Amino acid sequence: MTKTFARRSGGRAARQALRAAPLAQDVRPVRPGMEGGTFKPLTPDGINRIHLAALDALEQIGLADAPPSGIDIMTRAGAILGDDGRLRFPRALVEDMLDKAAKGITLCGRDPKHDLTLSGKRVHYGTAGAAVHMVDPHGREYRESTVQDLHDAARIVDQLDNIHFLQRPMVCRDIPDNREMDLNSIYACTSGTKKHVGVSFSEPDFVEDGIELLHLIAGGEDAWRARPFVSNSNCFVVPPMKFATESCQVMEKAIAAGMPVLLLSAGMATATAPPTLAGAIVQAVAECLAGVVYVNAIAPGHPAIFGTWPFLVDLRSGAMSGGSGEQALMTAGCAQMHQFYGLPGGAAAGFSDSKLPDMQAGWEQMCSNVLAGLSGLNMVYEAAGMHASLLGFCHESLILGDDIIGQALRCVRGIEITEDSVSIEMMKSVCLEGPGHYLGEDQTLSRMQTDFVYPTLGDRTSPKEWAEVGKPDLIAAATARKEDILAQRGSARFDPQVDAAIRARFNIHLPV
């Protein structure tokens, strides 16, 4: 008996329309917080060796230059101040504070749909950095970054599905006053996106004003403390093994204000960190463990991210080699250490040494973003838009990075083996009774969107089709999408009354 197969109406046009229709968050092929952890460059023995070496470093070397307040806080908890001015940390103290530390935290967005749950091997990608230049990919030029550039980046991030948070990626070089720069950075980011935002403070004295601004945005102190949607990115150490005095004072004030903190250690292997990949991880882990002691001696269980960000130097030139395979491996190794301690963690990946969004940028960004995701890194910082070893930021590259991260997340998701996915019944039907192909099968249609990630801008046409549509340029397409996003009214803009109150209190540089 011959089986009759109904032809689908619409053909290619119907498939394109189906692919274009938005999916609910819970059935998208990739989404925030997917579980990684399949890539493990460190063996169990290697993890234990790094842990023990970090404890030795804390006991035997310790950290210098803690502020008086920090010395008081940590010595009362059990740290030992030596005659050389260095604080040393007994193993029992570190273990006690690890027990008190928050093992899972939620980073809130202004909109709860953007909340990020940091625990286990759940993966999230976002921006970060302090670039001082904007990249013009068309003119192939660099210029100083501005507050408008920062706000535009936030608005773009708000519309990109695979960028899950915005940590300030550039410095407002057009605002010379540091206090005003810090406040305008908060305003530019939070008025541009409702996703979680990370910012820094230049000096401790600026924190109170920043918190006041956040209270105005949130609708009061209670509302802010219930859902703190901005965290403090805090370089609390100056590698090797020194506290950054003023940053520590900033951290103390941020904790008192209920702000989550990123404990960021950013040593440079061969310069401010040991030259081996393992040694650089040891130092970063030791410094961040000191941060865990510091934070939990102030407020046990306060939300803190274990921010091991070891970087690398190209020894031929002395330049950073952030786009290297070695960087990708170190980042993945750091993720394993976060999981060993059971702490929410973050590290840097996805940034490029290339000056432009070109082929070099593509391979560098994909390499480290994929390994970071496969390792189960909770917070993948610098994941899109960053060039020139953190000196330049590019809006077009941010948009293209959304496609890169979509593919990286698909790698994180892996291959699901279920009774349905390996069933041979459909194969029997197609091969023995059917048309000899799977294009019209129900499973093909049902899996089309839930299993496959389609690039927004990446081109998959044939050379003939590509020529027929004018041989579109990837950078030009990214620019067109940028202009389309920025032409729309931003959805994260503040209520006019709230905005007026903010502008009456602070000197906001962005136009109304």
Side-chain angles (χ1 to χ4, degrees), residues 7-261:
R7 293 179 62 86
R8 288 183 295 112
S9 63
R12 183 178 179 187
R15 294 196 300 272
Q16 290 175 335
L18 181 64
R19 187 169 69 233
L23 283 176
Q25 179 76 3
D26 61 340
V27 295
R28 288 183 59 217
V30 295
R31 48 197 176 270
M34 294 175 60
E35 290 271 349
T38 56
F39 178 60
K40 300 176 181 180
L42 301 178
T43 65
D45 179 65
I47 292 171
N48 191 55
R49 282 173 178 263
I50 288 173
H51 166 62
L52 294 177
L55 292 181
D56 284 342
L58 288 172
E59 275 194 326
Q60 298 170 25
I61 303 169
L63 277 75
D65 297 343
S69 55
I71 291 173
D72 180 60
I73 290 166
M74 287 181 275
T75 54
R76 280 192 287 111
I80 300 168
L81 181 63
D83 294 338
D84 56 1
R86 303 183 73 91
L87 277 174
R88 291 175 173 84
F89 301 83
R91 296 177 183 224
L93 170 62
V94 176
E95 292 166 356
D96 180 51
M97 291 304 178
L98 282 169
D99 286 341
K100 294 179 179 180
K103 301 303 188 295
I105 65 176
T106 298
L107 294 181
C108 300
R110 275 180 60 212
D111 186 331
K113 74 178 182 181
H114 295 306
D115 288 0
L116 307 178
T117 302
L118 274 56
S119 63
K121 300 171 185 176
R122 297 168 63 93
V123 179
H124 309 86
Y125 288 88
T127 64
V132 294
H133 294 104
M134 285 298 295
V135 182
D136 173 8
H138 299 287
R140 299 170 66 87
E141 294 177 344
Y142 276 49
R143 62 167 174 80
E144 290 192 345
S145 51
T146 70
V147 67
Q148 185 67 56
D149 294 324
L150 179 58
H151 181 59
D152 289 348
R155 290 189 58 196
I156 293 168
V157 164
D158 200 56
Q159 299 300 310
L160 300 180
D161 288 340
N162 300 318
I163 310 293
H164 307 140
F165 62 92
L166 174 80
Q167 186 162 303
R168 178 213 63 183
M170 71 195 82
V171 177
C172 304
R173 297 293 298 278
D174 56 337
I175 305 178
D177 181 88
N178 284 341
R179 173 184 172 276
E180 289 194 6
M181 181 187 68
D182 287 351
L183 295 172
N184 276 272
S185 294
I186 294 173
Y187 181 95
C189 291
T190 54
S191 64
T193 182
K194 291 186 178 180
K195 297 179 181 180
H196 185 81
V197 166
V199 297
S200 300
F201 292 101
S202 305
E203 297 180 22
D205 290 343
F206 303 158
V207 176
E208 286 86 352
D209 285 341
I211 297 300
E212 181 184 348
L213 171 56
L214 290 169
H215 289 174
L216 287 170
I217 296 169
E221 181 177 358
D222 289 345
W224 157 256
R225 287 184 176 273
R227 292 187 52 81
F229 47 85
V230 175
S231 55
N232 174 223
S233 174
N234 196 289
C235 295
F236 73 105
V237 287
V238 179
M241 303 295 280
K242 293 181 181 179
F243 286 109
T245 306
E246 289 195 341
S247 293
C248 289
Q249 293 168 333
V250 166
M251 182 175 70
E252 292 173 17
K253 291 187 175 186
I255 292 170
M259 180 180 277
V261 295

Side-chain angles (χ1 to χ4, degrees), residues 329-345:
L329 285 169
M330 278 205 307
T331 294
C334 285
Q336 287 185 265
M337 296 309 300
H338 308 161
Q339 293 151 21
F340 173 77
Y341 294 116
L343 299 176

